[in-house]
Amino acid sequence: MSRPHPPKLPLRFFRWFCHRELRDSIEGDLMELYGERARELGKRKADWKFTKDVLLLFRPGIIKQMEGYQPVNNTAMYKSYFKIGWRNLVRKKGYSLINIGGLALGMAVALLNGLWIWDEFSHDKYFTNYDRIAQVAETGIDPIEGGRSIGLTMTYPLSTELMENYNQNFKRIARLSWEVDGILSNGEKMMSVKGFYSDETMPEMLTFKMIKGTRAGLKNMSSILISESIAQSIFGTDDPINQTLRINNKSDVIVTGVYEDFPSNTEFHGMRFFAPWSLFLSENKWIEESAATDWRNHFIQIYVEIDHGTSFEEVNAKVKSALKFDPSDQERASKENKELYLYPMSRWHLYPPSYQINNYNPIAMIGLVGTIGAFVLFLACINFMNLSTARSENRAKEVGIRKTIGSVRSQLINQFYTESFLVVLFAFILGLFLASFFLPWFNIIADKNVVMPWKNVWFWLSGFSFILITSVLAGSYPALYLSSFHPIKALKGSIHLGKSASRPRQVLVVFQFSISIMLIIGTAVIYQQIQFAKNRPVGYNRDGLIMIYKRSADLDGKYEVLRNELLNTGVVTEVSESMGAVTEVYSGNNGWDWEGRNPNIDENFATLAVSHTHGKTAGWQFIEGRDFDLSISSDSSGLIINESAAKVIGLPNPIGEPVSWEWWSDKSLVMNYKILGVIKDMVMDSPYEPIKPTMFFLKGLNGSTNWINVKINPHSSVSEALPKIEAVFKNIAPSFPFEFKFVDEEYATKFAKEERIANLISLFAILAIFISSIGLLGLSSFVAEQRTKEIGIRKILGASIQGLWKMLSKDFVLLVFISCLLAVPASYFIMSEWLQNFEYRTEISLWVFFVTGIGAIIITLLTVSVQALKAAYMNPVKSLRSE
Amino acid sequence: MRKYQLGEFEEVVMLTVGVLYDEAYGVSIKKEIEDRLERGVSVGALQTALKRLEEKGYLRSREGEATEERAGRPKKFFQITALGKRALEYNKTMREELWNAIPKIALDGKFLGK
């Protein structure tokens, strides 16, 4: 009878793990037991018990030790790797500093950039229903820009349609008013804040984090939900629930809940109150009177939440037909292919509907930041690799001796890997410190609110995998190549790595400097462009000009009194009213006609109502004609146009010419004007765009003035004038919050975004060139050290200091020169592309390239010369004796 | 620190090695313990204990014959060393001393209580 065999797999496993000395006897025991059990209990039970026994044998006393070593030696060897690695670091302090410092800088930059990108992607994730919320939008082919545009303000009947006939497709629908600047007051306490009127479903949809009260707080018409920060500043420590608030001095509401303020990386950041929709309707009677069925009047926002398990595409297809058009718009709508579109929350921040207009494309920005971060990190890694490979040539002898004494190759490999691991680890720790130290500062530059994710598992995992990858990458050359040396050859010194060994290093240096130079040229061009736009003639005087938005009705009918009072203070030279701020083009319209107009083109003009004195207040510069005059009554139908408008109109002598304006939706509304004057173009919109042809009039068809502008007397100081101006306002309209903006500050914000990008990139450019330079410093010192003997002999034979200096610097300068040749055309190409984004743009001047190139070479010379001269000045006796 | 390091299971193993005298190897020890003490002993636990005892110098081993039922693997026989004997004796005396130190009343009382 054949003896039963125990299962193969456990047996093989046992043989694999078991200690060699124990293996045979234990296996014998197992076999004996197995045989007995198989006889008594049957094969299946015996197999099972055998497996169990094997598994229970898998324990420390029985598992074999690492092959070939005594158990004690093992830890000692690892200890020695670290000890020797540490000693090598300490012995070459300068080299270690360059290596660790450079790498840490690179890591810190990469870390900050990574955090930035992470923050961009986590936008709006604060909302629990992130994946299921969309804003109802209208897309269509943009007739001017091309491509599809997204419109976010919707008509009232669309919301009614969606809520009544398409309700079953959504979990929730909520209407939202436009962003309201509201004044909330409680007795003496008063605050001006932004918020919305919304349907009662909104708090549930956006999963408000309620601190007090419930999300169901908007059911009643006289209720309000306020944010924690408002509750704090109005009610302090008192319980805000059931307290009364007055909105815009009109409606009294009762606080029914307090929610946590939305964090800065959300779409609704800064929205501090939500008032009921019914209140919105009752405050704005016109909605129900005329807008409720008007398919042309876009003024509300609609948000929807879809059910679990449905997709936006599905729902979108189902509700598409809800969008209807006014018969008069039908033709244009079908021409522009207008459609209803559910604009998912996940796209709000990264794919904003209007990035073409303000030149800000978040995805491109993420790409830019990511690329720069990766490059800077890569530059630092190049340093690290170059320095460790360069230096490792010096260690050929060490390898020889270690091998002679009895090192196994794998031990040498471990030794080199440990050293590079140590450096990377230190660099990582230092990089973490640097990053967290500079984070607040970075947040200011980048306008972010990022925190270090100390508690995030992924953060640490990626950090450690990065440590491993870098140390393996940088440590591989010495570890794998040097450890293969034949000990006798290595000790005899007959191993020559030759020129070809330094070739990859040279390529990497060229790469490093090309990137750095490109970054610097890029920064220079961006700054140039910003400066160019800043130097653009503004066309009005921003000094001492402040503007106040009339956010409530308190000032209605009091303008004349206000103006007189302000002028009486003596600190004010002029006061005016305007439609829209001085720094914006508030309104634009078609329908203009004049003599000799091309009947086929209906030009669009900026149409802005102003008061008589606006020209004086803002400092209009007249080219022809005159300003509005209070004493001439016919001036009420006067028109002041800007240069661009004059060009569009194209009359050789525009002064006194009649111009008419017909309202687009009601042909019976016509205004007839006479041109009074032509003023210089003014930069009111984007400073990078061409100036819009503009019409200024006292009375138009498109509404009235909503800003008050005050020109402070240039002879009185602002700090002296402001309290007096405020006092006048307080006196005339006590409940009006006196909030003003300086026109020059407001104007400066037009450059903020580009400046922010420029500051960020310049920072990275400086870091990149710094990292590259310290890498070069390390390399040059290494080369000088290697050639000590050669230099000594040359000196004895009569070489001059200059000659030696030239010899040592030449190679590096050549490398940087090559980098310049590569970087200049590349950056020229990239930056010309970038400048295409701006209508009003600078030319890339050649001197940028010259200065950058020469600057790079000078920096190289300085870095390299330190080492070259040190080597050249060395006493040859000493250098020849040294071994 | 104790003079002789000997755990409960180790003591059982050593005593069993003593009981089996010349026939103490893995399987026989395992069976003897299982029979006498009516408790299951895994090969793993036993082998670790044996290895540890050998490292401590309480047991010594020699290789024995290889039989067919062991698939040609040798037996490893164990024997108590002099040091091992002392350790066992020490444990025994310690225990006896403790037994003797218990006042009679403590044990009686307990039995009465039951």
Side-chain angles (χ1 to χ4, degrees), chain A residues 561-573 575 724 728:
Chain A
V561 187
L562 184 76
R563 175 162 177 266
N564 286 334
E565 292 278 317
L566 282 172
L567 291 176
N568 283 344
T569 57
V571 292
V572 170
T573 42
V575 180
K724 289 187 182 168
V728 172

Side-chain angles (χ1 to χ4, degrees), chain A residues 66-335:
Chain A
M66 297 294 275
E67 203 99 28
Y69 302 113
Q70 294 299 311
V72 203
N73 260 354
N74 235 339
T75 39
M77 201 63 220
Y78 282 116
K79 247 161 112 184
S80 131
Y81 293 151
F82 280 98
K83 191 179 266 173
I84 302 288
W86 174 251
R87 283 180 189 166
N88 268 323
L89 282 184
V90 174
R91 197 158 59 98
K92 296 268 176 180
K93 286 200 184 68
Y95 157 84
S96 308
L97 191 74
I98 288 176
N99 235 347
I100 296 179
L103 200 54
L105 263 183
M107 284 188 190
V109 169
L111 243 158
L112 290 177
N113 287 13
L115 287 178
W116 189 90
I117 292 172
W118 183 70
D119 185 75
E120 282 289 284
F121 277 109
S122 65
H123 223 265
D124 286 331
K125 294 226 166 112
Y126 173 81
F127 303 113
T128 316
N129 300 328
Y130 174 78
D131 294 325
R132 289 181 290 115
I133 295 178
Q135 187 172 4
V136 177
E138 236 180 77
T139 65
I141 295 162
D142 194 315
I144 302 158
E145 301 269 349
R148 284 195 89 79
S149 64
I150 300 177
L152 296 176
T153 36
M154 300 287 104
T155 61
Y156 201 91
L158 176 65
S159 70
T160 320
E161 186 79 15
L162 284 172
M163 291 173 95
E164 280 173 6
N165 301 330
Y166 294 87
N167 197 13
Q168 68 280 7
N169 296 299
F170 306 111
K171 191 168 179 198
R172 292 188 183 93
I173 306 182
R175 290 166 298 191
L176 211 62
S177 68
W178 58 81
E179 208 177 288
V180 179
D181 274 304
I183 300 161
L184 299 185
S185 52
N186 173 276
E188 287 291 293
K189 289 262 179 70
M190 188 196 310
M191 276 193 87
S192 154
V193 286
K194 288 192 160 86
F196 290 113
Y197 292 88
S198 81
D199 276 315
E200 59 188 67
T201 41
M202 202 66 187
E204 275 304 330
M205 190 190 287
L206 291 184
T207 51
F208 281 26
K209 298 207 164 71
M210 300 306 294
I211 289 162
K212 290 199 171 96
T214 63
R215 287 179 189 160
L218 292 179
K219 291 204 161 48
N220 193 325
M221 185 171 127
S222 55
S223 55
I224 190 170
L225 294 178
I226 54 173
S227 82
E228 195 186 3
S229 59
I230 294 213
Q232 279 264 309
S233 40
I234 294 185
F235 300 110
T237 49
D238 297 348
D239 186 9
I241 299 290
N242 288 331
Q243 298 263 26
T244 310
L245 275 180
R246 174 163 282 205
I247 308 178
N248 287 340
N249 229 346
K250 252 190 306 196
S251 325
D252 282 324
V253 286
I254 289 167
V255 179
T256 49
V258 177
Y259 59 91
E260 184 187 281
D261 282 274
F262 298 117
S264 62
N265 62 347
T266 58
E267 196 65 23
F268 295 97
H269 172 63
M271 294 302 123
R272 303 242 164 89
F273 71 87
F274 282 77
W277 190 251
S278 43
L279 184 63
F280 181 59
L281 296 183
S282 94
E283 280 181 358
N284 297 280
K285 292 286 183 215
W286 56 270
I287 296 177
E288 284 183 314
E289 282 158 14
S290 66
T293 52
D294 185 352
W295 282 94
R296 302 192 66 161
N297 196 351
H298 293 69
F299 67 97
I300 62 168
Q301 307 178 58
I302 309 168
Y303 291 85
V304 295
E305 180 189 338
I306 59 170
D307 281 306
H308 281 282
T310 50
S311 72
F312 287 121
E313 289 76 24
E314 258 171 64
V315 179
N316 207 149
K318 280 188 205 156
V319 302
K320 214 163 216 176
S321 44
L323 183 66
K324 298 195 178 74
F325 300 97
D326 191 82
S328 62
D329 280 342
Q330 198 66 55
E331 190 190 341
R332 192 169 55 101
S334 55
K335 203 172 84 194

Side-chain angles (χ1 to χ4, degrees), chain A residues 394-406:
Chain A
N394 278 5
R395 298 183 64 181
K397 286 223 169 96
E398 182 192 329
V399 170
I401 289 178
R402 277 173 179 278
K403 280 200 164 178
T404 319
I405 292 173

Side-chain angles (χ1 to χ4, degrees), chain A residues 703-717:
Chain A
S704 58
T705 56
N706 51 4
W707 286 80
I708 292 176
N709 308 295
V710 178
K711 174 81 175 178
I712 294 171
N713 193 331
H715 299 299
S716 51
S717 74

Side-chain angles (χ1 to χ4, degrees), chain A residues 25 27 29 32 36 61, chain B residues 25-26 31 47 51 70 73:
Chain A
S25 62
E27 196 182 322
D29 283 3
E32 196 182 328
E36 262 172 47
Chain B
Y25 74 100
K31 280 187 184 153
Q47 289 294 344
K51 181 170 175 265
R70 291 178 62 88
R73 309 288 174 207

Side-chain angles (χ1 to χ4, degrees), chain A residues 3 15 19 21-33 35-37 39 53 56-57 59-62 65, chain B residues 25-28 30-31 34 41-48 51 54-55 63 67-71 73-76:
Chain A
R3 290 162 32 78
R15 282 181 184 159
H19 200 288
E21 283 168 27
L22 300 173
R23 194 163 59 200
D24 284 354
S25 62
I26 298 182
E27 196 182 322
D29 283 3
L30 285 171
M31 288 303 200
E32 196 182 328
L33 276 172
E36 262 172 47
R37 283 169 181 161
R39 268 198 310 281
D53 275 343
L56 284 173
L57 274 165
R59 54 171 84 198
I62 300 198
Q65 306 293 327
Chain B
Y25 74 100
V27 177
S28 66
K30 178 173 145 68
K31 280 187 184 153
E34 280 171 348
V41 178
S42 80
V43 182
L46 178 64
Q47 289 294 344
T48 346
K51 181 170 175 265
E54 201 177 353
E55 275 166 8
E63 295 228 329
T67 57
E68 202 210 322
E69 60 186 6
R70 291 178 62 88
R73 309 288 174 207
K75 282 179 182 165
K76 195 174 188 183

